[in-house]
Amino acid sequence: LQRIDNLPANEQYAARRKLLAEWVAVDPSAAVQALEQVPEDHRAGTLSAVAQAWGKVEPEAAAAWALELPQADSVRALAASVTGWFQVDRVAAKAYATELEPGPYRTEILKSMVANWAGPPRSAAEWLGTLQEGTGRNQALSSIFSQWGRTSPAMAEAWVMQSPHGNLRDHATVGLSRGLLTRDPGKALRYAQQIEDTGVKTMQLRSMVNDYARTCISCHRSGKPGCLREPVSGLPEHLVPAQQKSRVFNIVRRNLPK
């Protein structure tokens, strides 16, 4: 660690992460103690790297350590340790995640596992579909469909359209809408409008309108189809207030070429 302190500042973060992630696999107690010397601005990422590496070799010990940390660190560390576990034993890690009570730990673990799925998005979506409804499942579904909507939109759209109506389909549609936004803004908006739960629909539409300025400017500059101005203008007041629409239209007007 002292040698790392002598490296150029832009190299220290990666070097600490690598050293401690390798160290924890052979001497967890020393690596965890050394973690206390990591500068605060490097701590979050280094903590995750250590937890993930430890989770690959001693998942139960890594999880127990993570649960003893202050909550802000604890949630991050447990999600990383279970993700490391998931990379070497999917069955056991999924069982652990499934058995957790709803709450921040379960939410972050599901999101992290999906982000590190390393397999067909369909299999992640199907597994999530077997879980109890809740914030963790909803956010993980949105995450996997956002990714799938960017990489294989036709397959993601087919899965959504074939899924039963309800909470699972709504949150998959949120993710699909997000994933399609830069590729085809008009289609992304149409999917958002198909969300059945009014609260979920409102949240996604308002998010899209807030992001409309960047999307619209990019659309005009690249020549992509699907301009949102007319459909956004027509969104009902109870879903997107006129003041919000006016604000983003003014941003677009100021930034588009004359």
Side-chain angles (χ1 to χ4, degrees):
L1 285 175
Q2 289 179 341
R3 290 183 181 179
I4 290 175
D5 290 338
N6 295 326
L7 291 173
N10 63 343
E11 296 178 13
Q12 291 181 15
Y13 175 58
R16 283 195 187 91
R17 279 174 56 102
K18 184 174 185 297
L19 172 64
L20 291 178
E22 292 174 354
W23 195 358
V24 78
V26 293
D27 191 346
S29 141
V32 167
Q33 187 174 358
L35 186 61
E36 298 306 315
Q37 301 174 36
V38 173
E40 189 61 32
D41 57 337
H42 291 177
R43 180 173 171 77
T46 307
L47 178 76
S48 294
V50 168
Q52 187 165 335
W54 196 1
K56 291 179 181 179
V57 292
E58 292 183 327
E60 293 181 358
W65 163 73
L67 288 169
E68 292 178 357
L69 296 171
Q71 187 170 17
D73 286 342
S74 181
V75 172
R76 179 184 297 110
L78 186 62
S81 66
V82 177
T83 298
W85 189 4
F86 178 67
Q87 291 169 346
V88 296
D89 188 346
R90 289 195 166 210
V91 173
K94 287 196 290 186
Y96 181 89
T98 301
E99 291 167 6
L100 285 172
E101 292 293 323
Y105 288 103
R106 191 171 193 264
T107 295
E108 290 306 312
I109 286 172
L110 292 179
K111 286 164 59 181
S112 183
M113 287 172 67
V114 164
N116 292 273
W117 192 261
R122 176 183 294 276
S123 63
E126 289 173 351
W127 174 64
L128 289 169
T130 67
L131 303 184
Q132 178 184 359
E133 181 182 322
T135 302
R137 189 191 77 165
N138 294 344
Q139 292 187 11
L141 268 170
S142 295
S143 175
I144 197 66
F145 274 90
S146 178
Q147 173 194 335
W148 204 3
R150 288 191 297 271
T151 58
S152 300
M155 295 180 66
E157 290 176 53
W159 196 97
V160 166
M161 298 312 294
Q162 293 167 14
S163 62
H165 292 269
N167 181 275
L168 183 144
R169 178 167 173 161
D170 276 350
H171 286 279
T173 304
V174 168
L176 178 59
S177 175
R178 290 173 182 167
L180 290 171
L181 186 57
T182 56
R183 177 190 292 264
D184 189 336
K187 181 180 280 190
L189 183 61
R190 289 194 294 275
Y191 270 111
Q193 290 174 300
Q194 292 176 25
I195 297 169
E196 295 176 349
D197 183 285
T198 303
V200 176
K201 178 193 291 187
T202 299
M203 180 176 64
Q204 176 59 10
L205 287 173
R206 291 185 182 185
S207 173
M208 290 184 70
V209 171
N210 280 337
D211 199 41
Y212 165 78
R214 181 184 60 80
T215 304
C216 182
I217 293 165
S218 171
C219 169
H220 277 268
R221 288 176 178 166
S222 67
K224 289 182 180 179
C227 179
L228 294 182
R229 184 178 182 88
E230 185 175 344
V232 165
S233 299
L235 290 173
E237 174 79 11
H238 72 281
L239 292 177
V240 182
Q243 184 178 7
Q244 185 180 1
K245 289 186 260 186
S246 176
R247 177 174 56 80
V248 296
F249 288 151
N250 286 336
I251 293 172
V252 171
R253 192 177 299 113
R254 287 196 302 268
N255 286 276
L256 280 178
K258 301 298 182 185

